[in-house]
């Protein structure tokens, strides 16, 4: 495994194509698996018969809402081993205009699989009135993590989702759904086997007093974060809504989720005059009928602004985009990997990025932005991250996926638009608010690749390095 350990300055491959005379050359900078910021030249031509990529500057598709990643407790734990100066460099790499320029990120509501341990914001049994609700733990871990990011980018949008309700609200009264080791999370837990829920039956106690209490729980969470000067622009009521792992989780039948949003969560937010949006998610079902059932449940859709798809929901997003064209869509979590943190991870994430954005996603999330050198969750699963902090050597490593996301997020910001372009699985085009075109393209071949690009009245001849990510800014003025 090869990782590049260099400072996160000017890390993205960019071609600045300006309004110049024909035949003038401009710089092209590419990112490869072995080298960063490779400069070469691109020639503007008067015209050519056939382009490999054609971009249609006036054909605007979905608006972009944001790009970013997830804050989790183990990420903050790794960062606290660094000096203040080194930690600041990481936050600049992720959130400054010279870095990834992230505009939207995610937090867990209670324990995720990358929390230090199980917890919620109210573990007092049957406290239906939420008298003991608190975010005290978050004040020491997640909120300081968030505040450091907000220092760099005060406009960062934050959304939240729970992995599990408080355990006393679940039918098995446990944070997880199964016992022992599971898949790559071998540490597991010691849940009684009789408490396991191994199917997609709703694991939430569907009695009215629990549903009312849970809606109040969400409302109080939004309000408590606001008091800490962290505004949540949206919540998604359940992470991985159809999954039964041995870490915090809770399955919901779509009819029950529709019932909860329609009769409890939506009305609670309305009564409390919250402007925080409710999104359906995170959906990991590949069957589009899951989302359709919720959106078509009575008046539930009037409370739902968008739908968030975890990577397991990849097969369902095309249908939802087609049948609900006015619904905002999000990719909530890219594939987490096995801590390989190499070019194969970049290639996998690039493929998913193209799929989701081509099918209407206006926001796109990485999973853990920062992890330690093991990459392990509290349940033992080692996964990928954009940045690795070695707690012994204090070395900071920026992985290949860090550069991939910077290619997208440094330039594509909220309010920009995805653009129609010629068909192909290795490019994405965007119309920026300043009128420029941004083209992101990947050369998957082991050899140099020459391509021709037509963007409006611009005709470009590009030579792409073997296995390289390239980003192009085209001025049409």
């Amino acid at each position: 495994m090869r990782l590049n350990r260099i400072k996160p300055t000017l890390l993205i491959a960019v071609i600045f194509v300006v309004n110049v005379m024909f035949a003038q050359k401009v710089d092209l900078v590419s990112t490869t698996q072995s080298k960063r910021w490779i400069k070469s030249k691109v020639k503007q031509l008067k015209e050519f018969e056939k382009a490999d990529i054609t971009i249609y500057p006036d054909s605007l598709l979905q608006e972009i809402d944001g790009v970013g990643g997830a804050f989790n407790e183990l990420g903050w734990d790794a960062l606290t081993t660094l000096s203040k100066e080194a930690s600041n460099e990481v936050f600049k790499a992720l959130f400054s205009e010279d870095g990834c320029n992230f505009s939207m990120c995610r937090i867990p509501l209670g324990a995720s699989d990358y929390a230090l341990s199980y917890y919620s914001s109210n573990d007092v049994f049957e406290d239906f009135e939420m008298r003991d609700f608190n975010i005290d733990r978050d004040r020491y871990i997640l909120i300081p993590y968030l505040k450091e990011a907000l220092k760099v980018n005060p406009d960062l949008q934050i959304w939240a989702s729970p992995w599990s309700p408080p355990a006393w609200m679940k039918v098995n009264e446990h944070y997880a759904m199964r016992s022992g080791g599971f898949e790559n999370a071998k540490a597991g837990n010691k849940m009684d086997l009789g408490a396991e829920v191994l199917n997609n039956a709703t694991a939430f106690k569907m009695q009215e007093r629990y549903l009312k209490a849970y809606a109040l729980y969400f409302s109080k969470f939004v309000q408590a974060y606001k008091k800490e000067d962290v505004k949540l622009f949206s919540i998604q009521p359940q992470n991985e809504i159809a999954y039964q792992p041995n870490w915090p989780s809770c399955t919901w039948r779509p009819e029950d989720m529709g019932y909860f949003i329609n009769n409890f969560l939506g009305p609670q937010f309305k009564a409390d005059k919250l402007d925080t949006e409710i999104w359906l998610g995170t959906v990991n079902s590949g069957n589009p009928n899951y989302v359709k059932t919720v959106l078509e449940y009575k008046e539930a859709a009037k409370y739902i602004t968008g739908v968030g798809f975890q990577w397991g929901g990849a097969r369902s997003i095309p249908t939802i985009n087609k049948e609900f064209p006015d619904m905002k869509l999000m990719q909530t979590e890219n594939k987490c990997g096995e801590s390989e943190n190499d070019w194969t991870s970049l290639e996998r994430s690039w493929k998913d990025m193209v799929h989701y954005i081509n099918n209407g996603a206006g926001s796109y999330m990485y999973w853990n932005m920062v992890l330690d050198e093991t990459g392990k969750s509290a349940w033992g699963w080692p996964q990928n991250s954009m940045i690795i902090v070695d707690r012994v050597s204090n070395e900071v490593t920026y992985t290949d996926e860090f550069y991939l996301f910077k290619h997208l997020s440094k330039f594509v910001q909220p309010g920009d638009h995805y653009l129609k372009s010629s068909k192909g699985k290795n490019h994405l085009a965007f119309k920026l608010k300043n009128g420029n075109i941004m083209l992101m393209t990947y050369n998957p071949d082991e050899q140099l690749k020459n391509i021709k690009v037509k963007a409006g009245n611009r005709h470009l001849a590009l030579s792409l390095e073997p296995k390289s990510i390239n980003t192009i800014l085209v001025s049409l003025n």
Side-chain angles (χ1 to χ4, degrees):
M1 177 177 68
R2 179 178 181 134
L3 298 175
N4 290 272
R5 298 174 170 86
I6 59 176
K7 291 185 178 180
T9 55
L10 298 179
L11 301 174
I12 191 168
V14 181
I15 308 168
F16 290 99
V17 182
V18 294
N19 186 16
V20 292
M21 296 177 59
F22 289 117
Q24 182 175 347
K25 293 182 178 181
V26 297
D27 286 338
L28 179 153
V29 186
S30 300
T31 297
T32 71
Q33 58 189 317
S34 60
K35 298 179 182 178
R36 309 297 183 195
W37 206 242
I38 305 170
K39 292 185 179 181
S40 58
K41 297 293 181 180
V42 173
K43 190 175 182 180
Q44 287 196 80
L45 308 174
K46 284 189 176 182
E47 59 184 45
F48 38 69
E49 289 185 4
K50 183 178 180 181
D52 297 289
I53 299 174
T54 302
I55 302 169
Y56 304 97
D58 298 323
S59 297
L60 302 183
L61 300 175
Q62 74 265 26
E63 184 174 343
I64 301 303
D65 297 308
V67 181
F71 294 91
N72 274 317
E73 289 191 337
L74 288 176
W76 179 244
D77 187 60
L79 284 167
T80 57
T81 65
L82 297 176
S83 67
K84 186 64 176 176
E85 181 181 6
S87 178
N88 286 343
E89 287 301 312
V90 171
F91 282 100
K92 289 178 183 177
L94 289 170
F95 301 106
S96 73
E97 291 183 4
D98 291 332
C100 286
N101 204 16
F102 275 172
S103 54
M104 179 187 291
C105 283
R106 173 188 192 180
I107 63 170
L109 201 168
S112 74
D113 48 324
Y114 273 82
L116 292 162
S117 62
Y118 292 129
Y119 81 101
S120 79
S121 287
N122 190 349
D123 287 321
V124 177
F125 186 70
E126 294 193 345
D127 179 14
F128 296 110
E129 296 179 4
M130 291 290 129
R131 289 170 298 186
D132 289 290
F133 177 93
N134 68 83
I135 58 168
D136 292 346
R137 174 162 167 165
D138 290 4
R139 289 192 180 99
Y140 289 96
I141 306 177
L142 279 179
I143 290 175
Y145 194 1
L146 284 167
K147 290 292 183 71
E148 289 300 315
L150 290 167
K151 286 179 185 177
V152 181
N153 181 6
D155 297 323
L156 183 66
Q157 302 172 89
I158 307 295
W159 63 276
S161 65
W163 269 242
S164 173
W168 56 271
M169 293 186 180
K170 290 178 62 181
V171 294
N172 64 352
E173 297 187 348
H174 196 287
Y175 279 98
M177 299 288 282
R178 70 174 66 221
S179 180
F182 178 61
E183 293 187 350
N184 294 320
K186 300 304 182 184
N189 57 62
K190 296 181 180 180
M191 179 197 304
D192 186 287
L193 292 178
E196 290 187 317
V197 181
L198 303 180
N199 54 41
N200 285 331
T202 299
F204 190 87
K205 295 178 180 177
M206 290 299 293
Q207 295 168 298
E208 184 166 315
R209 57 179 180 166
Y210 290 96
L211 293 162
K212 283 184 177 179
Y214 200 33
L216 182 58
Y217 179 87
F218 279 104
S219 178
K220 282 186 171 289
F221 187 85
V222 170
Q223 294 178 66
Y225 262 73
K226 185 176 182 180
K227 289 180 181 178
E228 298 295 324
D229 295 321
V230 178
K231 177 179 170 55
L232 301 178
F233 92 87
S234 76
I235 61 96
Q236 297 189 27
Q238 177 58 50
N239 176 72
E240 296 183 4
I241 212 160
Y243 191 36
Q244 312 88 34
N246 60 355
W247 58 79
S249 48
C250 184
T251 48
W252 289 75
R253 293 173 64 249
E255 296 86 352
D256 290 337
M257 178 54 72
Y259 179 71
F260 173 59
I261 292 173
N262 185 75
N263 296 302
F264 300 93
L265 186 60
Q268 183 73 56
F269 274 35
K270 183 177 180 181
D272 292 337
K273 299 180 180 179
L274 303 182
D275 59 1
T276 298
E277 298 170 0
I278 298 170
W279 286 49
L280 172 60
T282 68
V283 178
N284 61 317
S285 172
N287 186 344
N289 287 330
Y290 192 104
V291 174
K292 292 171 66 175
T293 298
V294 178
L295 294 180
E296 292 169 356
Y297 183 90
K298 295 186 178 180
E299 296 184 306
K302 76 178 183 182
Y303 295 112
I304 298 172
T305 302
V307 180
F309 295 89
Q310 190 257 11
W311 56 264
R315 286 181 297 152
S316 61
I317 190 173
T319 299
I320 301 306
N321 183 41
K322 181 179 179 180
E323 297 188 13
F324 299 88
D326 296 327
M327 186 67 63
K328 286 180 174 290
L329 305 176
M330 176 191 295
Q331 198 270 11
T332 64
E333 177 189 335
N334 70 310
K335 291 177 182 175
C336 48
E338 308 288 343
S339 196
E340 64 274 12
N341 288 308
D342 61 12
W343 197 259
T344 65
S345 305
L346 179 148
E347 291 179 316
R348 182 175 58 239
S349 291
W350 166 249
K351 180 180 179 181
D352 289 342
M353 189 180 287
V354 171
H355 171 76
Y356 277 93
I357 295 175
N358 272 333
N359 285 288
S363 42
Y364 200 93
M365 304 291 112
Y366 193 80
W367 179 214
N368 280 296
M369 294 182 288
V370 181
L371 289 177
D372 66 22
E373 72 283 359
T374 72
K376 288 184 178 180
S377 72
W379 286 265
W381 185 347
Q383 297 180 12
N384 289 352
S385 62
M386 297 178 65
I387 298 173
I388 300 170
V389 175
D390 190 306
R391 295 168 297 173
V392 178
S393 67
N394 292 135
E395 188 174 27
V396 177
T397 300
Y398 295 86
T399 67
D400 294 321
E401 287 181 291
F402 171 90
Y403 297 100
L404 173 66
F405 270 70
K406 188 171 181 180
H407 269 278
L408 177 67
S409 59
K410 179 174 175 62
F411 297 105
V412 177
Q413 292 289 301
D416 297 337
H417 284 81
Y418 187 50
L419 273 181
K420 179 182 177 181
S421 62
S422 53
K423 291 183 179 180
K425 60 183 179 180
N426 281 312
H427 69 271
L428 297 168
F430 301 86
K431 183 73 170 285
L432 308 185
K433 292 186 291 294
N434 62 9
N436 289 345
I437 303 300
M438 188 275 245
L439 172 66
M440 185 174 171
T441 185
Y442 178 56
N443 175 17
D445 299 337
E446 296 284 356
Q447 58 273 351
L448 194 72
K449 187 174 185 178
N450 296 314
I451 66 170
K452 295 178 180 179
V453 176
K454 184 178 186 299
N457 60 354
R458 301 295 188 215
H459 297 74
L460 310 174
L462 313 181
S463 292
L464 306 180
E465 289 292 320
K467 283 195 173 293
S468 63
I469 285 283
N470 310 271
T471 299
I472 307 161
L473 287 180
V474 184
S475 172
L476 300 181
N477 298 324

